[in-house]
Amino acid sequence: MQYEPVMGLEIHAQLNTNTKLFCGCSTEFGAEPNTQTCPVCLGLPGVLPVLNKEAVELAIQMGHAIDAEVNKTSIFARKNFFYPDLPKGYQITQYEEPIVGLGHIEIEVGGETKRIGITRIHMEEDAGKLIHGAGMEDASASFVDLNRACTPLIEIVSEPDIRTPEEASAYMKAVHDIVVYLGISDGNMEEGSFRCDANISVRPVGQKEFGTRTELKNINSFKFVKDAVRYEIERQIDEIEDGGTIVQETRLWDSAKGVTVSMRTKEEAHDYRYFPEPDLLPLVLEEATIERLKDELPELPAAKKARFIEEYSLPPYDAGVLTAERALADYYEETVALEKDAKAVSNWVMGELLRLLNEEGRKITDRPVTPESLAALVTMVKGGEISNKIGKEVFEEMYKSGKAAAEIVKARGLTQISDTGELEGIIDGILAANSDEVERFRGGETKLMGFFVGQAMKATKGQGNPKVLNQLLRDKLNG
Ligand code: ADP
Ligand code: MG
Ligand code: ZN
């Protein structure tokens, strides 16, 4: 029997606001536990929530970004459950009437574009964090940090349109790209600002009804989501093939062991006793606000990628890398404005710059090399003033010292030797010192060319113009 996997993702993104969703406490990450709390987010009796306007605007922007209807009226609801990091005993979320309705985004997998439907986006508050034993003064105790309680989230719920592990990962990444681009969320997955729950079921190919699903909770990497759903699909198929049935349950991905493990059986909506939050009025938006936020929407990653391919004639791969981050795309465009060879600039940005940034875990926003500096370097290499190889050394020094290319080249005397007379002298010396190789070359061992070029490069300390050197060597060896 052949099986088809069916998946839908619920993504939580923490909104980029200074303060929490219903109080004025800071959302800054990493503070001492429980220092960013107040009676509202501690859930003390008698307090009233006040909605954060900035959070609402960010949620509306996300609605526009996925081409969705923004609902003029939405309603906050109480979702009741007990958990030690949830001091109120309920979470304020949206249920029947969320702020954003049906939308979609496009993902690219294996060179093909696929549309993934988005069912809804709703706003809700986050819970606190439990810290269990290990490393604390009492290893048998659990501790609760409520700094994160009440921070604003959007939950983006997809339609069950996802069919492969690769699509799941691409979808998660596409949503991540959008929220980071728009500045809706910092998207920091290590800090838990962006995480997803993956719902997975399998059905025999040709069957219309969906199978029973399991939900994998809190996945915080594009790779984990791929690995986790791949494992879970296999597990479900094995279970069915062995005559078992799938239980609707919540499972966890253990990335160290590479398996999913059962956490609890799944609650149904009615277990939560949802009802409209009595302490908050319905959220009613003005048409003008919705429209203004639509006008303010910046260019989205997919549109930017398409424009880079079109405007700069870049290969799709380059365009994808360069537009993955807005700050990188901006950097690239500022550089290309000064040095028009778009592909050459792309090579330097994707090669040397990203390599060094990755090595040191630095961000492009630091701009260790300015667009002006990089453009000047690329222009020097293109003009033959320095070789590509020397250019890379110069770039590394620019990156470390912040100095301009011309300054480094001058100080270190790195200018490329293109003078034919000077190079001829050097080559004559090399041919005289390696007469055996010359004979073998002339006898047909043409692959020795590489040896001669290497010798010439060594003799010129890498500063010989490779084009001129090659030409001279060919002339002399064949002549
Ligand atoms: P809940 O809120 O209980 O998690 P929802 O009905 O809102 O449930 O669905 C959550 C997610 O699960 C959605 O992304 C949806 O597309 C997906 N989903 C629903 N049914 C299935 C199924 N049978 N197989 C795979 N995914 C599913
Ligand atoms: Mg769910
Ligand atoms: Zn507070």
Side-chain angles (χ1 to χ4, degrees), residues 161-195:
D161 288 346
I162 298 165
R163 291 291 174 272
T164 65
E166 289 71 29
E167 285 178 19
S169 181
Y171 170 77
M172 185 176 174
K173 174 134 193 333
V175 174
H176 184 263
D177 284 354
I178 293 174
V179 295
V180 172
Y181 248 74
L182 299 182
I184 287 173
S185 170
D186 65 20
N188 191 322
M189 292 191 265
E190 283 95 64
E191 293 176 4
S193 303
F194 191 89
R195 51 195 198 258

Side-chain angles (χ1 to χ4, degrees), residues 224-252:
F224 288 170
V225 77
K226 201 186 315 176
D227 296 346
V229 306
R230 182 177 294 134
Y231 176 89
E232 183 60 14
I233 291 165
E234 285 304 314
R235 190 194 67 83
Q236 291 189 10
I237 293 173
D238 286 348
E239 185 73 41
I240 295 167
E241 294 273 274
D242 289 346
T245 48
I246 304 303
V247 198
Q248 183 164 337
E249 63 180 354
T250 301
R251 300 178 69 88
L252 282 183

Side-chain angles (χ1 to χ4, degrees), residues 10 12 79 155 157 197 199 213 215 217 266-267:
E10 298 162 277
H12 286 96
K79 180 178 183 181
E155 178 172 336
V157 182
D197 305 336
N199 296 269
R213 72 179 147 126
E215 182 180 25
K217 273 274 179 216
K266 170 94 184 146
E267 327 60 18

Side-chain angles (χ1 to χ4, degrees), residues 2-134:
Q2 288 289 316
Y3 292 90
E4 178 189 47
V6 172
M7 287 164 270
L9 260 50
E10 298 162 277
I11 292 179
H12 286 96
Q14 186 183 327
L15 296 172
N16 229 343
T17 56
N18 295 324
T19 56
K20 295 186 179 179
L21 187 54
F22 300 119
C23 63
C25 291
S26 167
T27 54
E28 192 77 47
F29 181 84
E32 279 292 296
N34 300 306
T35 53
Q36 291 169 175
T37 56
C38 73
V40 174
C41 54
L42 290 176
L44 299 185
V47 297
L48 288 173
V50 178
L51 182 59
N52 183 329
K53 182 174 164 196
E54 177 69 19
V56 173
E57 298 207 341
L58 294 175
I60 295 172
Q61 274 216 314
M62 189 59 190
H64 289 317
I66 61 157
D67 222 356
E69 189 71 27
V70 175
N71 293 322
K72 286 216 188 81
T73 304
S74 61
I75 292 181
F76 284 96
R78 278 192 190 179
K79 180 178 183 181
N80 297 282
F81 59 102
F82 173 77
Y83 209 66
D85 62 10
L86 188 73
K88 293 198 292 285
Y90 60 85
Q91 177 192 27
I92 304 181
T93 178
Q94 295 187 312
Y95 183 53
E96 276 166 338
E97 293 176 64
I99 186 161
V100 174
L102 277 182
H104 57 87
I105 65 172
E106 242 125 60
I107 61 168
E108 245 187 67
V109 178
E112 287 189 27
T113 307
K114 177 170 174 177
R115 173 174 283 205
I116 306 292
I118 290 175
T119 318
R120 54 189 271 150
I121 298 177
H122 61 257
M123 302 181 68
E124 63 186 26
E125 58 179 341
D126 207 346
K129 220 185 298 182
L130 284 180
I131 302 148
H132 298 292

